[in-house]
Each structure stands twice: as structure tokens, then as C-alpha cells.
């Protein structure tokens, strides 16, 4: 008797099949790539199940005075910072300086354009990949836009860098010392978190919400 | 036994609290950093754009830019590069999570306005990320986490841009009523 596979099951098998096949191909090309593949899949799984979106983290501050996602971004930066400082401290090759890039007027222009664009599109770079994975046709158009914009950005980069203020990578510990840089980073992140909490609390008391309402809201927002 | 099943159900189809997601993303980011370079997304997308340019007869490899590694636009090399494996992995990780919870659906584009906003937003993001040498992940999260000044500068102006974008969307909605 032929085994009938329901369409949903077929899709699951297809996804698992591709993940396995590409993982093997990556492993054959370079062993370390299999680890990168698994980490990438884990990133996608976490992003989808937790519903974290960087674009809405910033948009919700201005449209809904909601800081909950923005504070998750601060947590993510703080955890990454602690791990990366440890890696930097143990890395004697100085390779970490490759993660430190030039800064200048182009960084400011890039920040404004990126911030504006992610609100328009309804998702930043990670959000775009995430929504492609969820099945949104729209985000295929967004990623085409990102690709075309990137090519133009690479093409124009030297013009921005040469005609306006730009300096080589600024690694803060080189300028103010390791301890002050670590303290400053943690203080700024902690300060931003407190600021977000403070504004949230003020807004909520203005709206007359009690702790119980807030707990209910939290449960709802997290499903 | 029943508890075990509910736990599994919560992992596979329940929504995880934001902070759990934030902590897990941080741990995965640190693992990537330990493997040589923290998480980044848009640099790889730009390389695919340049590869298409090159295939069409252009010479993007001669354009001056600050790359994280020597630029290699060969298609097979690019497919099995760290960046592509990571981005493709993310897409399939989302898809896996969605199909395991039976939540995967093809969602059509709602309107031509949504499409226009999506393309315009994508173009601005792509251009902006290349000028700033990174996106929310590469520049904001990992710039700040690597103690690089460009992360803070990017973040400050990103907030300005997001504010302007939010006001623009508010204006658009008030004009058209949806």
C-alpha cells in the first residue's frame, strides 16, 4: 500500500532534508562551516520563537512608547560585550581589531538611512531573513532592495569617506585604557536600560496601570 | 509524562519570553566570535550583489571598500562562505521552527503601497549598512560589544532615523486612514 504523506509533513521533511544535505556539503567544504550552519539555524529558531525584531524595538519606542524590545537589544549587547571582552583579553593575535571599523560622517548617514529604511520595510536585516523563512513574499522584494542598495553603497563608499570627516577604526581601550572602556560601556548600557525602565514606569503610572495589569500585559505580549 | 509533553510543546510552539531570546542570541553571538568573527548579516548580502554585478560584466572588485576579509566573488566560494552559511542557516532555522509548529504559510503581498515601502526601505537599509559598515547586528550590537566607537555613533543616528521613519509612517497612516 503506498504511503500517503500529508502536504504539511512533506514540507517538514523537505526542510529537514535540505538542512541535512547542506550541512553535509558545508562540512565537506570546511569542517568549521558545519558549526556555523548549526549556529545559523539556532539563531533563526530563537528569533522566530521569541519574536524578537530589531526594527520594532526602535519603532515601538516612538509609536507606542513601548521599550520592552529595546531593552532586549540592550541585554543582547551587554551579554555579547561580556563574552567578547573575555575573547579579546585571551586573544593575543590582535585579530579582534578586524571587528573594529572606521568611523565618520558616513557612519552617521548610514545610521539614519538604515533606521529610516527598517521602519519603512517593517524589518531590519535579521527581520528580513526571518520573514522570508516564515513565508512572506514581500520580504523577497525587501532583500532585493537591500542587495541593490548595498552595491550602490559599496560603490559610493569612497566618495563619502574621502569628502567628509572619517577616521580609522577607534578601539576605545586604545584611547582611554581597558578598565575605563569596560566601565564606560557597562555604565552606558546600564544607564540606557534604567532610562528605558524609568520612562516605561512613568508612562504606565500616567495610564493608571497597576502591577497586576502590567503582569497581564506581559503575559499577553509573550503569548 | 504529561509535564514532559507540555514542556516540549512550549519549546516547539509556544512563544518564548523576549529576555530568553535575547540571552540565547547573545550566547550564539559569543560562540560565533569565538569561531573567529561575531554575527553579521549585510556584508554577505552586499557580496552577493557584487557577484551579480561581476557576472554582468562589471568590476566591483576594483571599488575601494573596507572588507572584513579578502573579497572573493566566485559563486561556489561565496555559497560556502561563513556569511552565506550563516544567513541561509537563519532562514532555514526560522522555517524549521515554523513547520515544526505547523505555522508556516505563504503570505502574499497586501498592497502595492506595502511593496513600494518594502523596496524603498530595503534600498535605504542596504545603502546605509554599507556606509556604516554594518547593520543592527554587525554595527550596533557587535560594534558596541567590541568597544568600537562606530557602534555607538551608528546607534545614535539609527535612533534618529527610526524616529523620522516612525513619524513618516504615522503621517502616511493619518493621510490614507490605514
Amino acid at each position: 500500500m503506498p504511503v500517503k504523506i500529508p502536504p504539511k509533513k512533506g514540507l517538514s521533511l523537505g526542510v529537514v532534508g535540505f538542512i541535512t544535505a547542506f550541512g553535509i556539503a558545508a562540512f565537506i567544504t570546511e569542517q568549521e562551516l558545519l558549526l556555523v550552519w548549526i549556529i545559523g539555524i539556532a539563531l533563526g529558531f530563537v528569533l522566530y520563537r521569541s519574536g524578537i525584531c530589531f526594527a520594532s524595538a526602535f519603532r515601538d519606542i516612538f509609536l507606542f512608547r513601548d521599550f520592552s524590545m529595546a531593552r532586549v537589544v540592550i541585554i543582547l549587547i551587554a551579554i555579547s560585550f561580556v563574552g567578547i571582552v573575555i575573547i579579546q583579553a585571551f586573544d593575543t593575535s590582535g585579530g579582534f581589531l578586524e571587528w573594529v571599523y572606521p568611523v565618520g560622517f558616513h557612519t552617521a548617514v548610514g545610521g539614519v538611512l538604515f533606521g529610516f529604511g527598517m521602519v519603512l520595510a517593517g524589518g531590519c536585516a535579521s527581520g528580513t531573513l526571518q520573514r522570508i523563512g516564515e513565508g512572506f513574499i514581500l520580504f523577497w522584494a525587501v532583500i532585493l532592495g537591500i542587495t541593490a542598495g548595498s552595491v550602490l553603497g559599496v560603490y559610493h563608499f569612497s566618495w563619502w569617506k574621502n569628502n567628509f570627516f572619517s577616521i580609522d577604526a577607534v578601539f576605545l581601550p586604545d584611547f582611554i585604557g581597558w578598565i575605563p572602556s569596560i566601565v564606560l560601556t557597562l555604565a552606558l548600557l546600564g544607564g540606557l536600560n534604567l532610562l528605558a525602565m524609568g520612562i516605561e514606569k512613568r508612562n504606565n503610572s500616567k495610564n493608571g496601570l497597576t502591577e497586576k495589569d502590567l503582569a497581564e500585559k506581559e503575559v499577553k505580549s509573550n503569548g | 509524562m504529561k509535564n514532559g509533553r507540555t514542556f516540549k510543546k512550549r519549546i516547539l510552539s509556544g512563544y518564548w519570553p523576549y529576555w530568553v531570546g535575547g540571552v540565547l542570541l547573545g550566547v550564539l553571538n559569543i560562540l560565533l566570535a569565538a569561531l573567529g568573527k561575531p554575527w553579521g548579516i549585510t556584508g554577505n548580502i552586499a557580496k552577493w550583489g557584487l557577484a551579480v554585478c561581476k557576472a554582468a560584466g562589471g568590476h566591483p572588485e576594483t571599488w575601494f571598500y573596507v572588507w572584513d576579509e579578502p573579497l572573493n566573488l566566485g559563486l561556489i566560494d561565496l555559497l560556502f562562505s561563513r556569511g552565506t552559511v550563516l544567513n541561509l542557516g537563519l532562514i532555514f532555522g526560522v522555517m524549521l521552527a515554523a513547520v515544526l509548529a505547523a505555522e508556516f504559510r505563504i503570505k502574499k503581498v497586501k498592497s502595492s503601497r506595502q511593496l513600494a515601502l518594502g523596496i524603498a526601505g530595503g534600498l535605504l537599509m542596504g545603502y546605509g549598512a554599507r556606509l556604516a559598515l554594518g547593520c543592527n547586528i554587525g554595527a550596533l550590537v557587535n560594534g558596541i560589544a567590541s568597544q568600537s566607537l562606530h557602534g555607538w555613533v551608528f546607534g545614535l543616528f539609527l535612533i534618529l532615523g527610526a524616529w523620522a521613519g516612525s513619524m513618516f509612517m504615522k503621517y502616511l497612516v493619518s493621510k490614507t486612514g490605514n
Side-chain angles (χ1 to χ4, degrees):
Chain A
M1 206 169 83
V3 185
K4 259 197 185 162
I5 303 171
K8 281 276 145 51
K9 204 131 208 182
L11 188 63
S12 304
L13 284 176
V15 171
V16 172
F18 180 84
I19 286 176
T20 313
F22 193 86
I24 292 169
F27 183 76
I28 292 169
T29 313
E30 194 192 324
Q31 291 189 6
E32 205 183 89
L33 280 180
L34 179 62
L35 270 177
V36 177
W37 180 237
I38 293 168
I39 294 174
I41 289 165
L43 285 170
F45 206 99
V46 172
L47 275 174
Y48 180 71
R49 282 269 68 102
S50 61
I52 289 176
C53 168
F54 292 82
S56 62
F58 292 97
R59 185 197 57 201
D60 292 355
I61 294 176
F62 301 113
L63 288 187
F64 311 113
R65 308 232 173 274
D66 178 355
F67 287 78
S68 50
M69 197 82 84
R71 286 180 50 211
V72 172
V73 175
I74 297 173
I75 292 175
L76 168 58
I77 297 177
I79 289 177
S80 304
F81 169 67
V82 172
I84 287 175
V85 164
I86 294 169
I87 293 170
Q88 286 174 335
F90 280 94
D91 183 48
T92 47
S93 69
F96 57 82
L97 280 176
E98 290 160 21
W99 312 337
V100 181
Y101 289 110
V103 56
F105 185 61
H106 53 86
T107 317
V109 175
V112 170
L113 295 181
F114 193 89
F116 195 86
M118 72 183 184
V119 175
L120 247 57
C124 74
S126 68
T128 299
L129 297 181
Q130 183 187 330
R131 291 187 183 86
I132 288 174
E134 285 176 43
F136 282 94
I137 303 293
L138 173 71
F139 282 86
W140 285 95
V142 178
I143 203 168
L144 280 180
I146 295 179
T147 312
S150 298
V151 172
L152 205 61
V154 173
Y155 187 60
H156 283 174
F157 181 76
S158 57
W159 183 82
W160 287 99
K161 190 165 164 38
N162 296 334
N163 287 290
F164 301 96
F165 172 76
S166 177
I167 43 174
D168 281 340
V170 175
F171 183 53
L172 291 171
D174 286 346
F175 286 79
I176 57 175
W178 274 91
I179 301 295
S181 172
I182 291 172
V183 172
L184 183 70
T185 306
L186 286 176
L188 283 170
L189 290 174
L192 285 172
N193 189 37
L194 282 177
L195 183 72
M197 280 169 77
I199 299 174
E200 240 178 8
K201 209 169 176 184
R202 208 190 58 192
N203 286 337
N204 287 331
S205 58
K206 225 191 316 188
N207 296 337
L209 291 173
T210 63
E211 292 285 322
K212 194 171 159 255
D213 295 331
L214 290 178
E216 266 170 18
K217 203 175 133 196
E218 176 113 3
V219 167
K220 261 185 207 145
S221 71
N222 292 338
Chain B
M1 191 64 213
K2 193 169 175 261
N3 274 339
R5 202 177 297 152
T6 20
F7 182 72
K8 193 180 152 208
K9 211 178 156 190
R10 272 193 70 161
I11 297 285
L12 288 184
S13 53
Y15 283 93
W16 303 354
Y18 291 156
W19 68 268
V20 171
V23 170
L24 288 175
L25 290 181
V27 170
L28 292 167
N29 187 21
I30 294 169
L31 282 178
L32 282 172
L35 282 176
K37 196 174 180 291
W39 189 13
I41 295 173
T42 47
N44 173 257
I45 299 178
K47 284 175 194 163
W48 278 103
L50 295 185
V52 171
C53 245
K54 197 181 176 189
H59 296 285
E61 67 278 5
T62 61
W63 303 347
F64 168 77
Y65 195 71
V66 186
W67 292 108
D68 52 351
E69 57 193 9
L71 193 59
N72 183 349
L73 297 178
L75 287 182
I76 295 296
D77 294 330
L78 197 50
L79 180 63
F80 288 104
S81 66
R82 258 186 85 115
T84 307
V85 169
L86 199 56
N87 282 343
L88 211 58
L90 199 160
I91 294 177
F92 276 89
V94 170
M95 226 186 234
L96 181 70
V99 294
L100 285 180
E103 290 167 350
F104 183 86
R105 311 268 183 285
I106 295 291
K107 292 138 188 133
K108 288 185 192 142
V109 180
K110 278 187 201 145
S111 64
S112 52
R113 187 185 83 173
Q114 196 192 35
L115 185 66
L117 284 174
I119 294 172
L123 283 169
L124 288 171
M125 277 195 279
Y127 194 78
R130 281 315 93 208
L131 290 196
L133 297 144
C135 60
N136 279 345
I137 311 293
L140 179 74
V141 175
N142 285 320
I144 294 175
S146 308
Q147 304 178 74
S148 170
L149 184 63
H150 86 292
W152 287 106
V153 175
F154 180 76
L156 183 68
F157 286 93
L158 176 85
I159 291 174
L160 269 178
W163 171 78
S166 302
M167 292 307 118
F168 177 75
M169 291 303 283
K170 226 175 174 173
Y171 168 79
L172 212 61
V173 169
S174 71
K175 266 270 176 190
T176 57
N178 63 49

